[in-house]
């Protein structure tokens, strides 16, 4: 199962500290029960209520940096130097970074996020009105759009430049901070602490991606085979996923991850094409067009929206866990949370995108990530979200009522099953949906395992034939499956004790009577818990990168002359 390239030795200190942190988190989630929920709730309230503006300003700062890299004087700088050329075709390159960053969770949220914004819209819009439906179809495009992909791709530049252009020996977040903090510190305890923090955030975040996707896929599988969904079915699906991504990550980047990403991209187009043609095609197109116009017209307002003005009574209700004031806390429970989630993923995406982007220019990476990442996510929202909205608005399928009585995952599957009255065709769509869901999450998780294995390796070298050790890759794949099971167990504990927390899914559930789910509590501990310190680390990495290219300016300009003159 080992790839044909060379194996990089394990960096034992980072590997051991990462393993210990992950084991500690797993045990905490299994044993702490309600205490873990209380900790998660406290982190969420502090992060969103007090620090929301920091996430927003940091995101916009990163946006400005990427615009300058794409259209400024360094746009033609290549990862690896002026003579480096891309290792992968453009299609495979796009497939790998898109599938690595966006898993089956996109399929779930694209199908259901509109409903939450429809019943609790932003900007004091009347719930469940025509205006609310327009914002409901728009905000998903914003949350999964350009600013999200800015956060996903920003770390590729400091990490890739330090590795390929400044000849650092490892692809790590810590090495990209060395221009500011110094190489000695980054090779010492501080650097190892930064990389361990990255591992914690990525393991938790990837595990919770599985937790978000598993119930939806479990519901679809049960619909196919006439089963009743249970925790046992969810656990079996996670085990199957673990086997898939363990095998593919063991095969390596080119033989495993690239191949699975290519298959996944093809399957995505098949699924989206079938649903688009069978479903309400013109409603999808017209709603997408209207939503894009609404977002472009209000992009600045949405980007800076913090909703700081609310009544004292509303705020006390929010702190007490009441959900009736959800609309007044819209950016805290949605936009700020999304930005924190993306920041937690930023170092991972930076490492993975840097690894596969040797030979690409800064301009190419920025424009391609923004264009294909945004369009890919918009395609899912335009097709799955607008289909579910159409079914509800026309009375063909009551998405909200089914969510209230059976859960949101039953509603997602139900909206798909009501695409057509021809039962064999509906079942075929469900089969494709399940297949894409399994492959999609597998590609995301095997990329995560590969990135962690890269961080816990040393002497990676600049060559493209060096892989992390087989054991290093496989053990992290197994741990990602284990953390997913631990988070699912914690999710069950919270549900059984009815100890729901404010924000996200629970907030909408409380304000609409929709059945509650605690999946988002797992997301909070992985993203909000590490987003604050990681935001500081990412900022240092960006400043180090800007300092480095400033120091290398004469060399870079000289290296660009032949290309510019040609």
């Amino acid at each position: 199962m080992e790839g044909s390239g060379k194996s990089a030795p394990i960096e034992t200190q980072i590997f051991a500290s990462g393993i210990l942190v992950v084991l500690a988190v797993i045990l905490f989630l299994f044993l702490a029960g309600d205490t873990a929920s209380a900790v998660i709730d406290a982190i969420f309230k502090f992060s969103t209520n007090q620090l929301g503006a920091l996430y927003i300003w940091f995101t916009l700062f990163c946006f400005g940096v990427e615009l300058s890299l794409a259209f400024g004087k360094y746009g033609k700088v290549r990862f690896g130097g002026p003579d480096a050329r891309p290792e992968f075709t453009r299609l495979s390159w796009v497939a790998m970074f898109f599938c690595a960053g966006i898993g089956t969770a996109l399929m779930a949220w694209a199908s259901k996020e509109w409903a939450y914004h429809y019943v609790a819209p932003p900007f004091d819009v009347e719930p469940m009105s025509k205006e609310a439906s327009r914002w409901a179809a728009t905000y998903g495009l914003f949350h999964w759009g350009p600013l999200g992909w800015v956060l996903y791709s920003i770390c590729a530049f400091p990490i890739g430049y330090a590795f390929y252009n400044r000849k650092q020996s490892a692809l790590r977040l810590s090495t990209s901070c060395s221009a500011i903090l110094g190489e000695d510190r980054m090779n010492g305890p501080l650097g190892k602490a930064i990389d361990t923090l990255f591992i914690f955030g990525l393991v938790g975040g990837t595990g919770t991606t599985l937790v978000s996707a598993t119930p939806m896929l479990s519901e679809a599988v049960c619909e196919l085979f006439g089963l009743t969904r249970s925790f046992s079915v969810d656990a079996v699906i996670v085990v199957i996923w673990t086997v898939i991504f363990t095998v593919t990550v063991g095969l390596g980047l080119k033989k495993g991850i690239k191949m699975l990403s290519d298959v996944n991209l093809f399957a995505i187009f098949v699924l989206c094409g079938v649903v688009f043609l069978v479903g309400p095609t013109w409603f999808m197109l017209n709603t997408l067009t209207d939503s894009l116009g609404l977002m472009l017209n209000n992009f600045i307002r949405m980007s800076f929206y913090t909703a700081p003005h609310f009544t004292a009574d509303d705020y006390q209700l929010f702190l007490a866990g009441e959900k009736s004031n959800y609309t007044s806390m819209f950016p805290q429970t949605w936009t700020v949370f999304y930005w924190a989630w993306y920041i937690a993923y930023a170092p991972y995406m930076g490492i993975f995108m840097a690894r596969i982007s040797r030979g690409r220019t800064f301009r190419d990476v920025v424009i391609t990530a923004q264009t294909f990442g945004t369009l890919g996510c918009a395609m899912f929202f335009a097709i799955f979200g607008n289909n579910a909205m159409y079914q509800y608005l026309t009375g063909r399928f009551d998405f909200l009522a089914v969510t209230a009585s059976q859960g949101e995952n039953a509603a997602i599957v139900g909206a798909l099953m009501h695409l057509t009255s021809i039962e064999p065709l509906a079942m075929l769509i469900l089969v494709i949906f399940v297949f894409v869901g399994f492959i999609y999450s597998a590609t995301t998780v095997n990329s995560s395992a590969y990135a962690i294995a890269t961080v816990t390796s040393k002497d990676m070298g600049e060559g493209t034939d060096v892989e992390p050790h087989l054991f290093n890759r496989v053990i992290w794949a197994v741990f990602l499956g284990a953390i997913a099971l631990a988070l699912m167990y914690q999710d069950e504990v919270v549900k059984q004790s009815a100890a729901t927390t404010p924000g996200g899914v629970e907030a909408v559930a409380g304000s609409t009577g929709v059945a509650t789910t605690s999946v988002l509590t797992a997301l909070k501990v992985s993203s909000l818990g590490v987003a604050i310190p990681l935001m500081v680390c990412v900022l240092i990495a960006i400043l180090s990168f800007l300092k480095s290219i400033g120091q290398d300016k004469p060399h870079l300009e000289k290296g660009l002359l032949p290309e510019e003159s040609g």
Side-chain angles (χ1 to χ4, degrees):
M1 191 164 64
E2 178 66 84
S4 59
K6 302 174 184 178
S7 292
I10 296 174
E11 171 56 68
T12 54
Q13 289 185 331
I14 299 177
F15 179 86
S17 60
I19 291 289
L20 290 175
V21 168
V22 173
L23 287 175
V25 172
I26 293 174
L27 291 175
F28 177 66
L29 291 171
F30 268 122
L31 302 177
D34 292 341
T35 301
S37 300
V39 171
I40 293 167
D41 188 45
I43 293 172
F44 174 77
K45 287 178 179 177
F46 175 76
S47 299
T48 56
N49 297 346
Q50 308 300 325
L51 303 178
L54 290 181
Y55 292 112
I56 289 174
W57 280 109
F58 179 76
T59 301
L60 294 172
F61 166 74
C62 293
F63 188 38
V65 171
E66 289 212 355
L67 287 177
S68 69
L69 291 176
F71 304 107
K73 56 187 175 182
Y74 298 117
K76 293 185 178 181
V77 174
R78 290 182 182 273
F79 289 116
D83 297 327
R85 290 298 178 264
E87 181 182 1
F88 302 98
T89 65
R90 182 166 298 275
L91 185 62
S92 292
W93 179 49
V94 170
M96 282 193 285
F97 76 68
F98 185 79
C99 295
I102 304 293
T104 311
L106 172 61
M107 298 169 64
W109 286 105
S111 302
K112 67 187 180 183
E113 187 171 326
W114 71 270
Y116 301 130
H117 302 329
Y118 178 62
V119 297
F123 308 122
D124 298 320
V125 172
E126 182 183 353
M128 303 180 73
S129 63
K130 182 187 294 185
E131 188 67 12
S133 68
R134 295 183 67 206
W135 283 110
T138 300
Y139 245 98
L141 304 181
F142 176 72
H143 287 147
W144 296 74
L147 294 181
W149 280 95
V150 161
L151 294 174
Y152 262 0
S153 58
I154 188 65
C155 283
F157 300 99
I159 293 173
Y161 189 79
F163 182 70
Y164 288 122
N165 299 71
R166 285 214 149 192
K167 312 303 181 184
Q168 294 281 355
S169 62
L171 275 164
R172 296 181 191 142
L173 179 60
S174 60
T175 57
S176 66
C177 299
S178 59
I180 294 290
L181 299 180
E183 289 192 23
D184 290 341
R185 289 192 182 93
M186 292 302 93
N187 291 327
L190 180 58
K192 291 177 173 57
I194 290 174
D195 293 324
T196 301
L197 180 68
F198 152 76
I199 293 172
F200 170 69
L202 180 55
V203 170
T206 306
T208 51
T209 295
L210 286 177
V211 174
S212 297
T214 298
M216 179 188 68
L217 266 295
S218 180
E219 194 76 43
V221 168
C222 290
E223 177 72 22
L224 279 175
F225 296 102
L227 304 174
T228 300
R229 190 187 152 225
S230 64
F231 176 76
S232 299
V233 176
D234 293 351
V236 169
I237 288 177
V238 171
V239 170
I240 294 173
W241 261 328
T242 303
V243 172
I244 294 174
F245 58 68
T246 299
V247 171
T248 53
V249 80
L251 287 171
L253 184 63
K254 296 180 181 179
K255 292 185 177 180
I257 296 174
K258 174 186 174 297
M259 177 190 67
L260 198 62
S261 297
D262 289 343
V263 171
N264 188 33
L265 191 65
F266 175 77
I268 286 171
F269 281 122
V270 171
L271 173 64
C272 291
V274 171
V275 175
F276 178 73
L277 294 175
V278 174
T281 304
W282 292 112
F283 180 83
M284 294 174 182
L285 284 175
N286 289 330
T287 303
L288 173 64
T289 303
D290 184 73
S291 299
L292 288 174
L294 188 62
M295 184 179 71
L296 291 174
N297 192 45
N298 293 273
F299 186 79
I300 294 178
R301 179 73 182 96
M302 297 164 75
S303 300
F304 285 91
Y305 184 40
T306 59
H309 305 293
F310 42 80
T311 67
D313 290 341
D314 275 348
Y315 188 67
Q316 293 304 317
L317 287 173
F318 179 79
L319 293 179
E322 297 292 336
K323 316 297 194 282
S324 59
N325 70 319
Y326 169 72
T327 302
S328 65
M329 304 297 291
F330 182 92
Q332 287 80 6
T333 49
W334 285 103
T335 304
V336 171
F337 171 71
Y338 267 123
W339 293 175
W341 190 9
Y342 297 147
I343 290 170
Y345 264 86
Y348 147 62
M349 283 298 295
I351 290 171
F352 189 75
M353 288 187 70
R355 173 60 187 86
I356 65 175
S357 297
R358 186 178 187 276
R360 303 284 178 181
T361 65
F362 292 172
R363 180 173 300 155
D364 194 6
V365 173
V366 172
I367 294 177
T368 303
Q370 291 298 310
T371 302
F372 288 95
T374 298
L375 291 178
C377 292
M379 177 178 67
F380 275 89
F381 278 89
I383 293 175
F384 293 97
N386 290 340
N387 167 64
M389 180 185 290
Y390 177 84
Q391 305 289 350
Y392 173 78
L393 294 177
T394 58
R396 297 181 62 183
F397 178 73
D398 195 334
F399 192 95
L400 297 182
V402 173
T403 302
S405 60
Q406 302 176 44
E408 59 190 16
N409 298 298
I412 292 172
V413 174
L416 279 177
M417 296 300 290
H418 281 76
L419 272 169
T420 174
S421 59
I422 305 174
E423 186 174 349
L425 180 57
M427 295 303 291
L428 175 62
I429 292 172
L430 196 59
V431 169
I432 301 173
F433 184 79
V434 170
F435 176 79
V436 172
F438 270 99
I439 301 300
Y440 216 156
S441 280
T443 54
T444 300
V445 179
N446 64 21
S447 302
S448 301
Y450 188 91
I452 299 175
T454 299
V455 171
T456 55
S457 298
K458 57 185 177 181
D459 300 327
M460 285 289 294
E462 187 188 343
T464 58
D465 62 339
V466 180
E467 301 266 22
H469 194 277
L470 176 62
F471 171 78
N472 198 4
R473 284 176 268 151
V474 170
I475 193 65
W476 288 113
V478 173
F479 266 107
L480 289 172
I483 197 73
L485 288 174
L487 288 168
M488 288 169 57
Y489 176 80
Q490 166 64 10
D491 193 45
E492 287 295 311
V493 169
V494 175
K495 288 178 182 177
Q496 292 173 8
S497 64
T500 56
T501 56
V505 175
E506 296 95 333
V508 180
S511 64
T512 63
V514 175
T516 60
T517 174
S518 59
V519 167
L520 215 62
T521 60
L523 293 174
K524 291 169 188 173
V525 74
S526 64
S527 53
L528 293 175
V530 298
I532 299 170
L534 275 178
M535 184 164 53
V536 176
C537 295
V538 172
L539 178 60
I540 294 173
I542 294 171
L543 296 177
S544 294
F545 165 66
L546 296 177
K547 180 180 178 181
S548 296
I549 59 175
Q551 293 172 343
D552 298 343
K553 182 179 177 180
H555 169 72
L556 293 175
E557 290 178 344
K558 181 179 179 181
L560 289 177
L561 285 176
E563 184 181 23
E564 291 178 345
S565 63

